[in-house]
Amino acid sequence: MKNTQEALNNYLFECIERLNDEDLQGEAFEREVQRSDAIQKVAKTIIENSALALKVKMHFDEYDIPGNIQIPLIGTGDEQ
């Protein structure tokens, strides 16, 4: 998985698709629910971290503070 917002969104939608699989039942469904819950928690932390980095960058820009703030997840910084 690439470390970009688009990749994260795609991965989260894949989780939704797995949860929506009508053939998934019983213990397999419960495992998928637990897995999706863990993924959601990690994704939330990644998004919060990116939001904080963006706020710092905006603050630096607003006050003309020199610094090279990079936020690769949302497309600012060294793109690979």
Side-chain angles (χ1 to χ4, degrees), residues 6 8-9 14-15 21 23-25 46 50 59 61-62 65 73:
E6 181 180 6
L8 178 60
N9 285 340
E14 288 172 12
C15 289
D21 182 358
D23 293 332
L24 196 62
Q25 297 178 359
I46 291 168
S50 294
H59 179 80
D61 290 348
E62 181 178 353
I65 299 170
L73 182 69

Side-chain angles (χ1 to χ4, degrees), residues 39-59:
I39 290 169
Q40 175 269 328
K41 289 176 182 175
V42 171
K44 182 179 179 185
T45 301
I46 291 168
I47 292 166
E48 288 171 350
N49 187 45
S50 294
L52 176 59
L54 180 59
K55 286 180 184 179
V56 169
K57 179 165 181 38
M58 291 170 62
H59 179 80

Side-chain angles (χ1 to χ4, degrees), residues 7-19:
L8 178 60
N9 285 340
N10 290 338
Y11 194 69
L12 292 172
F13 279 111
E14 288 172 12
C15 289
I16 291 170
E17 288 175 15
R18 287 192 302 271
L19 287 171

